[in-house]
Amino acid sequence: MPSRYLAVRLARLSTDRIRRETLGRSWRSTAGRREGAAAEEPARADGCEPERTGPARAGFAAAFAPANRARYEPRSGARGSHAEEGAPSEAGLAPLALYESVAGANRISAVCEWAEAAGLAPGTGLAEARARFPHLVVRPAAPEADRRLLEAIADWCDRYTPLVALDLPDGLVLDISGCAHLFGGEKALMDDLLARLFHQGFAAAAALASEAGAAMALVRGPRGGDRIVPAGAEEAAVAALPLAALRLDCDLSAMLARLGLKTVGALFDLPRAGLARRFGKHLILRLDEAAGRARRPLSPRRPVPELAAERRLFEPISLIEDIERVLLMLAARLETDLEKRGAGARRLELSLFRVDGVVNRLSAGASRPIRRPERIGRLFRERLKSVGDELDAGFGYDLVKLAAFALEPLPDVQTGLSGEDDEADAFAGLVDRLGARLGPASVLQVVPVDSHRPERAECWRPVGAAGAGIAIGAAAEAFLPGAAAPRPVRLLAVPERIEASFVVPDGAPMTFRWRRVLYVVRRAEGPERIAAEWWREAGEALRDYFRVEDEAGRRYWLFREGYGDPALDPELQLPDPRPVWYLHGVFA
């Protein structure tokens, strides 16, 4: 399958974020309706496709028709007087600019299309910009807020492909290999993405090629080149691009400009050895990536699911009952694929795509592999209840996606006539429901650990964690009589020192005092010797454990430390023959 990459650039990301916060997400559509069908838009210096105005999707699609495209072309004549004076645009919006501190001075870092049409460019001093444009609205730049917004857009692009990578500071790269036919072709997919971004208040441009580097260069080049490049035509498509499309270092770009090298094609005509010798291998690598000779590595933001099923809805839904109904339909589709693989899902994720671009994700883990739609439905039903009012459906969800990220073998088993699972599955279902309602970290299980010391012989892990499955029987056998001596129900995390009296040095205690209370021992069993672990630090002494019972029938687990029998261990050296006693646990 040939690789295809779609690069998206949101050139006005910073200013669009401010407009969306003040005017709402659909501010571009609203501005287009105010301007009217014949409204024109200011020219853009970066050469990317102009921001499209007009009514909803139908107006966007009509803009690409040959008869109507002229209405959305940038102005080719002189700028109007309103733009020169920095007055509000025809849409009633004042020019907007963002500034940041650079070397102790406030400078413009981003401008909207109307401010750029008036002649304001990034890098201008803030005082100069305010003097030249009295109506200019300025806001401080927030790079972290822009990044969070870009990441949210990347999550939303999961509706097209799970392989979405960030192209900082204002771009995305989507690997749409094998996905375009689901949307009616590459052109239909790209137009649908741009239309949806436009109605969410973003000015976006896109380019599609067989290599990520070529698509990323084309989307930042001047307008007029092929936006959809067929396989093998990347070098010819990027030849006319300016060097800024390669995003080289400022010093290197300035040096190439002084030498008269202004386009990518001019670099193609020069000997590669000389370019590498004078300007370094980084320039050659950027050229090869743009021409499709080298593959540019991408790092998708989210892991790719093993299996996924989605449902696009003609009418948005917002009720929990409707979400659960669609979820069962998707789980039934996943069940068929899981049966073919002979596997079950251990970790699932439900993605709810709102019509305004927000994505709500709910994840749930299973203690055992599952694939029955009823169990998946019960699992997410509890998850939806735990979220409660935090799940804001907004104007509704138009896409629901169910993905399985972790699969494990699940052989088919014979069930009863009722079709119900055995008790182990019923218990696993209870654990899954508790984990979905309370959180996976709230349902813990004791897992044995290879250690001689009792306080290190077990640990608590979430049931859904790796190595802590629902095989509770196997874990419990390590603590049952037979494999080892009985262990107390309650084991103190840190043994507490006690005072004990005994008749003979190696005998059981007769009395002991714990927490200022004196206990008289009536019965005792032991000793059980537990040696130190040789692979750990030196200084751990031998322990002789005793199970004792007092007059009231209460049983305790005691041990003495620092005393051994020289007859059994001739090399044992005891600096102090008096042992130290501790209480380590309490039996039921």
Side-chain angles (χ1 to χ4, degrees):
M1 179 185 300
S3 300
R4 300 293 283 173
Y5 296 91
L6 177 63
V8 181
R9 185 192 181 195
L10 298 96
R12 311 293 179 186
L13 180 67
S14 301
T15 55
D16 286 346
R17 175 179 58 82
I18 301 298
R19 298 288 195 195
R20 281 158 49 95
E21 293 174 355
T22 56
L23 303 177
R25 297 178 184 271
S26 58
W27 72 273
R28 286 190 177 274
S29 300
T30 306
R33 286 192 293 269
R34 287 199 301 264
E35 289 188 48
E40 295 179 341
E41 294 196 35
R44 292 181 55 168
D46 57 4
C48 296
E49 284 194 344
E51 294 75 19
R52 304 168 179 87
T53 59
R57 296 188 180 95
F60 176 85
F64 283 89
N68 299 329
R69 189 175 181 86
R71 298 189 321 185
Y72 294 87
E73 297 287 345
R75 296 182 181 182
S76 57
R79 298 188 180 97
S81 59
H82 288 289
E84 293 176 356
E85 297 175 1
S89 66
E90 297 178 3
L93 301 177
L96 174 65
L98 277 69
Y99 69 92
E100 62 182 357
S101 179
V102 179
N106 292 329
R107 297 190 177 276
I108 301 298
S109 61
V111 296
C112 70
E113 50 266 45
W114 291 283
E116 184 181 60
L120 182 61
T124 307
L126 179 59
E128 178 186 351
R130 281 175 167 168
R132 291 174 54 191
F133 308 100
H135 299 280
L136 181 67
V137 178
V138 294
R139 295 286 187 273
E144 289 300 323
D146 295 340
R147 182 187 177 95
R148 289 194 298 268
L149 180 58
L150 187 64
E151 291 175 349
I153 300 173
D155 289 342
W156 172 82
C157 288
D158 190 43
R159 66 188 300 126
Y160 299 101
T161 172
L163 297 173
V164 182
L166 296 181
D167 181 22
L168 297 175
D170 57 4
L172 302 171
V173 182
L174 286 67
D175 185 351
I176 61 170
S177 305
C179 302
H181 69 281
L182 301 175
F183 301 88
E186 295 178 347
K187 181 68 165 58
L189 186 152
M190 185 171 67
D191 286 348
D192 183 75
L193 184 144
L194 293 176
R196 292 177 182 273
L197 288 177
F198 167 74
H199 289 290
Q200 293 178 25
F202 297 106
L208 202 154
S210 296
E211 293 295 338
M216 295 167 65
L218 286 169
V219 80
R220 297 178 181 276
R223 190 172 174 276
D226 293 333
R227 293 298 173 182
I228 300 181
V229 181
E234 288 82 9
E235 183 172 351
V238 302
L241 297 179
L243 294 182
L246 299 179
R247 288 186 290 180
L248 303 172
D249 297 337
C250 296
D251 296 340
L252 179 57
S253 299
M255 183 183 301
L256 294 173
R258 289 196 298 269
L259 296 176
L261 302 173
K262 299 181 180 180
T263 63
V264 178
L267 296 179
F268 287 153
D269 298 336
L270 298 178
R272 291 172 57 88
L275 286 176
R277 203 168 38 247
R278 182 166 185 179
F279 302 108
K281 295 182 179 180
H282 180 71
L283 176 60
I284 302 299
L285 178 61
R286 282 286 182 261
L287 284 175
D288 291 342
E289 290 175 349
R293 303 169 186 166
R295 184 175 296 273
R296 182 159 187 166
L298 299 178
S299 300
R301 293 191 63 252
R302 307 187 71 253
V304 180
E306 298 286 344
L307 290 173
E310 64 181 37
R311 180 67 180 270
R312 298 180 183 274
L313 305 171
F314 181 75
E315 290 292 339
I317 60 175
S318 57
L319 298 178
I320 298 296
E321 294 78 7
D322 296 334
I323 296 174
E324 294 177 354
R325 190 178 302 110
V326 176
L327 172 63
L328 287 177
M329 298 171 57
L330 298 178
R333 292 168 56 183
L334 275 186
E335 182 185 20
T336 304
D337 296 333
L338 290 172
E339 286 179 348
K340 294 179 180 179
R341 296 193 180 190
R346 282 291 303 273
R347 187 165 61 89
L348 298 114
E349 183 181 75
L350 179 64
S351 302
L352 305 171
F353 294 79
R354 286 179 10 184
V355 294
D356 57 358
V358 178
V359 183
N360 294 328
R361 301 185 188 274
L362 300 175
S363 60
S367 55
R368 298 182 63 182
I370 60 174
R371 64 180 176 216
R372 292 178 55 187
E374 296 80 7
R375 289 200 58 182
I376 296 177
R378 288 197 300 266
L379 194 63
F380 279 99
R381 189 177 300 115
E382 297 295 337
R383 189 72 180 89
L384 289 170
K385 290 180 181 178
S386 66
V387 176
D389 296 336
E390 297 179 5
L391 186 64
D392 183 12
F395 293 101
Y397 304 108
D398 62 348
L399 175 63
V400 181
K401 185 175 182 179
L402 179 63
F405 285 92
L407 303 183
E408 289 186 5
L410 180 61
D412 295 330
V413 296
Q414 181 67 39
T415 60
L417 296 178
S418 63
E420 298 293 335
D421 295 338
D422 54 11
E423 295 182 0
D425 287 340
F427 178 74
L430 173 62
V431 172
D432 294 342
R433 292 177 61 187
L434 291 175
R437 177 67 70 90
L438 305 176
S442 301
V443 185
L444 305 178
Q445 173 185 343
V446 179
V447 178
V449 179
D450 293 333
S451 178
H452 297 168
R453 294 298 191 185
E455 64 269 19
R456 295 195 293 257
E458 61 185 35
C459 66
W460 292 91
R461 295 182 186 175
V463 175
I470 199 64
I472 296 183
E477 290 179 357
F479 306 101
L480 293 178
R487 293 294 183 258
V489 175
R490 180 190 176 191
L491 189 69
L492 302 181
V494 178
E496 298 184 11
R497 187 166 179 174
I498 60 175
E499 299 177 3
S501 60
F502 44 87
V503 179
V504 292
D506 58 348
M510 299 177 58
T511 61
F512 66 92
R513 187 181 299 275
W514 176 48
R515 295 180 179 177
R516 300 182 181 181
V517 178
L518 181 64
Y519 298 88
V520 179
V521 177
R522 293 304 183 189
R523 296 181 181 85
E525 295 180 2
E528 175 191 355
R529 176 158 295 181
I530 298 180
E533 297 170 347
W534 59 268
W535 60 87
R536 291 185 177 270
E537 65 277 2
E540 291 187 345
L542 296 174
R543 292 181 181 179
D544 289 336
Y545 279 86
F546 293 87
R547 293 178 295 278
V548 301
E549 182 178 332
D550 66 357
E551 295 176 320
R554 297 182 292 261
R555 294 183 296 168
Y556 304 92
W557 206 34
L558 314 179
F559 73 87
R560 66 180 176 216
E561 191 176 76
Y563 184 83
D565 189 355
L568 299 177
D569 190 357
E571 298 181 359
L572 186 64
Q573 298 179 359
L574 301 175
D576 189 353
R578 294 173 298 178
V580 180
W581 287 86
Y582 295 88
L583 187 143
H584 203 173
V586 179
F587 290 90

